[in-house]
């Protein structure tokens, strides 16, 4: 296991289509985060899971966004009816403990372009 | 108010000269502070972290940062820049009491190193 893996790395979709991204965290990491990064900005928190439970969602996460983490392993982030404003880099991170002082390991991200 | 303010969006230095990337944070409690680096097409990597131990923190690749509570600052420094240091750097704060269970990122500083 070499780190957090995200797929696909790039996704181009037409406005109105649905897209789904996958994140495979480091094995046995029980906390998983999703962040969104737009050009010129730092990553913004979207949501996080403790094992399979989704414990917090940002107000950035509209009703068109849904995330799951079945069985507390990999996670998916789905965006329905995509809009041009959804174009961004979507980052996943995982950490082994509930302590925020523990290093969070980030994947390389999925870059979404909505045309 | 911004949770994390990186005072310079771009910094340009010559190879072999010192690097200073400035960061101010907003936290009423006892924050943990981090610096992450993002190279093109690579995931975010932790450079160093402050978690209420020594105020001068040493990280990887010769970087260090000093936590100054009176100034609410956590500036990143390196005595001598190397070409490989060219990347985007993010100052990050975590404070469970104030921000919940998430990392809060600054907008980033792009470091350019000239030969």
């Amino acid at each position: 296991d070499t780190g957090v893996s995200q797929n696909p790395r790039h996704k181009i979709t037409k406005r109105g289509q649905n897209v789904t991204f996958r994140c495979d965290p480091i094995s046995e990491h029980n906390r998983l985060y999703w962040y969104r990064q737009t050009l010129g900005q730092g990553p913004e928190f979207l949501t996080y899971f403790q094992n399979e439970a989704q414990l917090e969602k940002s107000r950035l996460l509209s009703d068109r966004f849904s995330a799951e983490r079945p069985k507390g392993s990999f996670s998916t982030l789905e965006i329905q009816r995509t809009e041009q404003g959804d174009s961004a880099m979507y980052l996943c991170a995982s950490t082994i403990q509930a302590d925020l002082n523990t290093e969070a390991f980030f994947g390389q991200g999925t870059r979404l372009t909505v045309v | 108010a911004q949770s994390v303010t990186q005072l310079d969006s771009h910094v340009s230095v010559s190879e072999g000269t010192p690097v200073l990337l400035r960061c101010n944070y907003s936290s009423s409690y006892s924050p943990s502070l981090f610096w992450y680096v993002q190279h093109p097409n690579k995931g975010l990597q932790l450079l160093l972290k402050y978690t209420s131990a020594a105020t001068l923190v040493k990280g990887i690749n010769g970087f260090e940062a000093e936590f100054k509570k009176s100034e609410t600052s956590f500036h990143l420094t390196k005595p001598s820049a190397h070409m490989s240091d060219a990347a985007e750097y993010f100052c990050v704060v975590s404070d469970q009491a104030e921000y919940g269970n998430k990392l809060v990122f600054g907008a980033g500083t792009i470091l350019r190193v000239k030969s």
Side-chain angles (χ1 to χ4, degrees), chain A residues 8-9 21 26-27 32 39 42-43 66-67 69 78 81-82 85 100 103 106-107 113:
Chain A
R9 293 288 310 281
F21 310 141
I26 294 173
S27 298
L32 185 149
L39 201 61
S66 62
R69 192 183 183 198
E78 181 183 15
R81 305 181 302 282
T82 51
L100 280 176
E103 178 180 356
F106 284 81
T113 303

Side-chain angles (χ1 to χ4, degrees), chain A residues 9-10 31 33 35 37 40-45 48 56 89 91 98 100-109, chain B residues 32 34 36 38 41-46 49 51 88 90 94-96 99-108:
Chain A
R9 293 288 310 281
H10 304 272
R31 186 165 281 199
Y33 295 84
Y35 283 79
Q37 185 178 15
Q41 298 297 320
E44 295 173 294
F45 170 79
Y48 88 91
E56 187 175 342
M89 176 77 85
L91 296 169
L100 280 176
N101 297 331
T102 303
E103 178 180 356
F105 291 84
F106 284 81
Q108 292 181 268
Chain B
S32 294
F34 308 78
Y36 277 81
Q38 188 174 39
N41 299 316
K42 293 195 175 178
L44 286 155
Q45 180 185 17
L46 180 68
K49 63 181 179 181
T51 57
E88 188 162 18
F90 293 96
S94 76
D95 187 330
Q96 193 156 9
Y99 303 122
N101 293 289
K102 57 183 171 284
L103 300 174
V104 179
F105 283 74

